[in-house]
């Protein structure tokens, strides 16, 4: 039996348990991650704290080693799968703490891009903050976004891209909306690791959000502005 198998997660103090979660996420051990999430919940950790400190913290390490060529796609897929296992447990709990519905968001990852962890996190946090979220999934062509906003009439359109090769596609979507004269009917938020504020401005988005917490704050600010404008008319 290896050392790994000797570890009893429930016996570890919080800081060591979080370290162990970093290791388990790195090794793509979904069941262990799920167990640890339950343990932390049992120790009265806020779902948001588990999400950010343990899961996102662990994924950051995976990201660095992927970048540096230490980890490869199959391993990262396993890590992502383990992360999703933990997120699945936290999702309803984050939503529970939310306020009554404050707005509606359509969100999706752009065409050519299959990264969805960040998008899912934003969706979860938005739901937790009281937004209704329509998730279009990954690899969305402009038509998919247009159809969804037409059907759903959201307040906010969110687009995610994790690749430098796919991020320009956000501009394709926004330009098409401009052409159709519907651009100003929506607040457009964009995000993903390779983006920055300048890029958001350059493509004509309303805001770039560096993480899910900023996305929620920004969305709330735009909703407040929208309500004030409506009240003024
Ligand atoms: C996990 C991962 C994968 C997984 C994805 C699994 C999944 N289901 O998502 C797999 C293994 C499939 C994968 C594949 C590839 N990947 Co990859 N991947 C990553 C990795 C390690 C982590 C991404 C992640 O989930 N981060 C955690 C989340 C929480 O963070 P986040 O996505 O940034 O999201 C936050 C914010 O950005 C923001 N946000 C995100 N979206 C949105 C949207 C809105 C509306 C808002 C407001 C905010 C917002 O809020 C989020 C939460 O706080 C990154 C490394 C990195 N540093 O980002 C590489 C990375 C993105 N991948 C990379 C590459 C190259 C690839 C591949 C091309 C590899 C290959 N050779 O096949 C393929 C591409 C496949 C494709 N067509 O999309 C490169 C991109 C380089 C570049 N400059 O373009 C990176 C940066 C790694 C690297 N340094 O080399 N990848």
């Amino acid at each position: 039996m290896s050392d790994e198998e000797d570890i009893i997660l429930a016996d570890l103090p919080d800081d060591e348990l979080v370290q162990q979660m970093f290791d388990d996420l790195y090794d793509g051990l979904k069941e262990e991650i799920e167990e640890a999430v339950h343990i932390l919940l049992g120790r009265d950790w806020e779902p948001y704290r588990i999400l950010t400190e343990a899961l996102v913290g662990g994924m950051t390490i995976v990201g660095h080693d992927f970048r540096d060529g230490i980890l490869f796609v199959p391993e990262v897929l396993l890590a992502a799968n383990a992360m999703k296992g933990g997120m699945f447990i936290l999702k309803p709990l984050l939503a529970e703490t939310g306020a009554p519905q404050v707005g509606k968001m359509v969100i999706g990852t752009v065409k050519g891009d299959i990264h969805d962890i960040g998008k899912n996190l934003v969706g979860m946090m938005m739901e937790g903050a009281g937004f209704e979220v329509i998730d279009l999934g990954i690899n969305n062509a402009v038509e998919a976004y247009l159809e969804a906003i037409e059907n759903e009439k959201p307040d906010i359109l969110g687009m995610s891209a994790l690749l430098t090769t796919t991020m320009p596609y956000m501009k394709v979507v926004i330009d098409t909306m401009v052409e159709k004269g519907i651009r100003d009917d929506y607040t457009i938020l964009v995000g993903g690791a390779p983006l920055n504020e300048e890029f958001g401005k350059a493509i004509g988005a309303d805001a770039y959000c560096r993480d899910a917490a900023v996305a929620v704050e920004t969305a709330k600010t735009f909703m407040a502005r929208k309500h004030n404008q409506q009240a003024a008319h």
Side-chain angles (χ1 to χ4, degrees), residues 56 59 62-64 66-68 72-74 76-77 80 83-84 105 107 112-119 121-122 157-166 189-194 208-213 215:
V56 177
M59 204 61 198
V62 172
H64 289 156
F66 187 33
R67 177 195 63 205
D68 297 342
F72 297 95
V73 170
V76 179
L77 263 180
M83 168 126 185
K84 284 184 179 178
M105 177 186 216
I107 190 169
D113 202 320
I114 63 166
H115 294 87
D116 67 356
I117 295 175
K119 166 188 69 62
L121 210 58
V122 172
L157 171 64
M159 289 187 279
S160 182
L162 266 286
L163 300 170
T164 42
T165 48
T166 57
L189 303 184
V190 294
Y208 153 77
C209 306
R210 113 176 143 256
D211 60 31

Side-chain angles (χ1 to χ4, degrees), residues 46-98:
E46 292 289 332
Y48 180 64
R49 185 171 171 213
I50 302 176
L51 189 65
T52 50
E53 287 184 27
L55 298 182
V56 177
M59 204 61 198
T60 306
I61 302 170
V62 172
H64 289 156
D65 281 4
F66 187 33
R67 177 195 63 205
D68 297 342
I70 299 165
L71 286 179
F72 297 95
V73 170
E75 289 113 330
V76 179
L77 263 180
L78 279 176
N81 189 41
M83 168 126 185
K84 284 184 179 178
M87 283 166 64
F88 185 75
I89 298 167
L90 296 175
K91 186 176 175 175
L93 304 172
L94 285 165
E96 251 174 37
T97 52

Side-chain angles (χ1 to χ4, degrees), residues 78-191:
L78 279 176
N81 189 41
M83 168 126 185
K84 284 184 179 178
M87 283 166 64
F88 185 75
I89 298 167
L90 296 175
K91 186 176 175 175
L93 304 172
L94 285 165
E96 251 174 37
T97 52
Q101 200 192 313
V102 288
K104 192 170 180 180
M105 177 186 216
V106 161
I107 190 169
T109 302
V110 298
K111 188 171 159 184
D113 202 320
I114 63 166
H115 294 87
D116 67 356
I117 295 175
K119 166 188 69 62
N120 295 347
L121 210 58
V122 172
M124 278 166 55
M125 294 285 295
M126 291 289 291
E127 279 179 358
F131 284 81
E132 182 185 351
V133 175
I134 315 292
D135 188 346
L136 305 181
I138 54 174
N139 196 20
N140 284 287
V142 61
E143 294 78 14
Y145 287 110
L146 291 180
E147 193 186 322
I149 56 179
E150 172 149 348
N151 292 339
E152 302 290 345
K153 306 259 182 297
D155 305 287
I156 299 169
L157 171 64
M159 289 187 279
S160 182
L162 266 286
L163 300 170
T164 42
T165 48
T166 57
M167 58 189 229
Y169 196 77
M170 293 176 167
K171 184 166 182 330
V172 174
V173 177
I174 297 177
D175 285 351
T176 310
M177 289 171 73
V178 171
E179 275 166 33
K180 293 190 173 293
I182 56 170
R183 161 66 187 92
D184 293 336
D185 298 345
Y186 308 94
T187 295
I188 302 181
L189 303 184
V190 294

